[in-house]
Amino acid sequence: MLRVHFTAEDLFNVTFAREPLPLVELGMAVVAWQRRDAQEVFGRWRGHVSRELPGRARPLLDLLRPDGDNLQFVEPFTPTLEEGLAAVRDASGSLTGEQLARTAARAPGSASWLRALWAEDRDAWRQLDGALRSVHDLVIAPHWPRIRQSFHADVAWRTRLLAAHGIKACLASTHPGAGWAGTVFEVPGGPDFECALGGRGLILMPSPFWTGRPLLAEGPGGPDGARLLMYPALTPLPLVDPGRADGALDALLGRTRAAVLQLLVQQRTTSELARDLDISLPSVSEHTRTLRAAGLITTRRDGKAVLHSATGLGVDLLRSGG
């Protein structure tokens, strides 16, 4: 279980990141590519990346494992690719033997490249630079407008949620199982991790690639600064509609998911949603899963039928989104 202890000061010091960051999202993309959850959403995207990703990007698999519990030096908090690559190179002298042992134990490949990297071998660091550039050119750069759309729509929605329902509801919405025990934010699932913020505060950062339990890490201010909580954006990248959104609700959810939520002001079955929206049953399941994970709809089974309906939070979103 993840347990984050808040002081009263911390509860007043929760903010949102201003922008998505290219190398942070690159790291999340490499992680998402290796995961096997949310296949109904990421399956096709993963297949495309597997076919298109060049071989020189493979070294990143040794550094970025699918559980997301990775060394942060390869995911610096920088606004541009070139600044990020410079920050990665600058980290070469600060890597420790303990970090090498931990990374090598988790890596799927040979430890020889990692040992060369830790020994500041120029060829090894050139390989890392080339791998980061390759993944950025294929997975991040062409989709940056959609990544930003998912990020900013999520921040806009949770900012409204924070204003209307408070910080506890806002943080609980980051994961279906999240909740509070007094002033301790709790999310089920392993590995166990416990942290006291101690007045440093918390920065919230949605990622359109991450699919697991929220991740807690050092923020851009280092050990003495605010902690960073990265969580799955409400609309993952494969479900972000290309092109200009027609309104705030479409920007947040995508046109089809917004239409699903609007229909669910009245209870409907999966088959009725597929019929009314002229989409397939698997597509309905994708959209209802995303809406349910965000707490916007509830689902229950009645015999053979699966019934969906909007929650109070979902109705509030519809009202605020026009």
Side-chain angles (χ1 to χ4, degrees):
M1 175 177 285
L2 171 66
R3 302 183 81 242
V4 184
H5 295 257
F6 284 73
T7 65
E9 184 179 357
D10 292 314
L11 291 170
F12 288 107
N13 194 20
V14 177
T15 59
F16 289 93
R18 294 183 179 180
E19 291 282 343
L21 302 173
L23 284 189
V24 172
E25 293 305 333
L26 185 154
M28 289 294 99
V30 173
V31 165
W33 173 46
Q34 298 173 79
R35 291 174 68 89
R36 289 297 173 261
D37 59 342
Q39 277 293 95
E40 69 276 15
V41 175
F42 277 92
R44 187 176 301 176
W45 175 85
R46 287 172 179 142
H48 171 75
V49 173
S50 295
R51 292 189 298 271
E52 300 296 328
L53 200 63
R56 65 175 180 160
R58 299 286 168 169
L60 288 179
L61 301 185
D62 290 336
L63 294 169
L64 296 166
R65 305 304 302 138
D67 61 3
D69 184 22
N70 299 306
L71 298 182
Q72 287 186 246
F73 84 93
V74 78
E75 303 171 86
F77 300 112
T78 54
T80 69
L81 172 66
E82 293 303 327
E83 288 176 274
L85 293 173
V88 171
R89 289 192 293 271
D90 289 344
S92 62
S94 62
L95 301 179
T96 67
E98 180 182 351
Q99 291 173 329
L100 171 60
R102 176 172 173 268
T103 304
R106 290 158 47 86
S110 167
S112 59
W113 177 76
L114 290 171
R115 285 195 292 268
L117 195 71
W118 257 253
E120 301 184 58
D121 178 81
R122 289 185 179 182
D123 287 339
W125 282 89
R126 274 196 292 267
Q127 278 187 295
L128 177 58
D129 186 275
L132 290 168
R133 290 182 186 276
S134 296
V135 176
H136 181 269
D137 290 347
L138 175 73
V139 179
I140 302 300
H143 307 292
W144 191 244
R146 294 169 63 212
I147 292 169
R148 294 186 75 250
Q149 180 181 329
S150 173
F151 177 95
H152 286 294
D154 187 283
V155 168
W157 174 60
R158 291 188 208 274
T159 300
R160 291 196 298 269
L161 181 61
L162 174 64
H165 299 279
I167 185 59
K168 288 193 172 183
C170 178
L171 280 171
S173 73
T174 61
H175 187 272
W180 290 82
T183 57
V184 181
F185 176 60
E186 298 182 334
V187 189
D192 291 337
F193 185 78
E194 194 156 357
C195 173
L197 296 179
R200 289 170 295 195
L202 189 67
I203 301 170
L204 304 182
M205 177 178 281
S207 171
F209 292 105
W210 180 236
T211 58
R213 186 184 76 178
L215 299 171
L216 191 69
E218 284 185 7
D224 298 326
R227 290 293 187 259
L228 180 83
L229 189 77
M230 179 167 286
Y231 61 89
L234 180 60
T235 303
L237 184 73
L239 298 183
V240 176
D241 293 328
R244 186 183 180 89
D246 294 331
L249 195 60
D250 285 354
L252 173 63
L253 300 176
R255 296 182 187 90
T256 304
R257 254 176 332 287
V260 170
L261 182 59
Q262 288 164 342
L263 286 176
L264 291 181
V265 171
Q266 295 183 344
Q267 184 174 264
R268 281 176 167 80
T269 67
T270 301
S271 298
E272 287 171 338
L273 288 170
R275 180 199 65 206
D276 293 345
L277 294 171
D278 193 24
I279 58 178
S280 68
L281 290 172
S283 182
V284 171
S285 296
E286 286 183 10
H287 296 310
T288 54
R289 184 203 66 82
T290 302
L291 294 170
R292 187 167 53 253
L296 300 178
I297 69 169
T298 59
T299 299
R300 66 182 181 87
R301 186 173 292 277
D302 184 10
K304 294 184 178 180
V306 178
L307 303 174
H308 311 281
S309 57
T311 62
L313 187 60
V315 172
D316 286 348
L317 177 61
L318 286 171
R319 289 172 178 163
S320 66

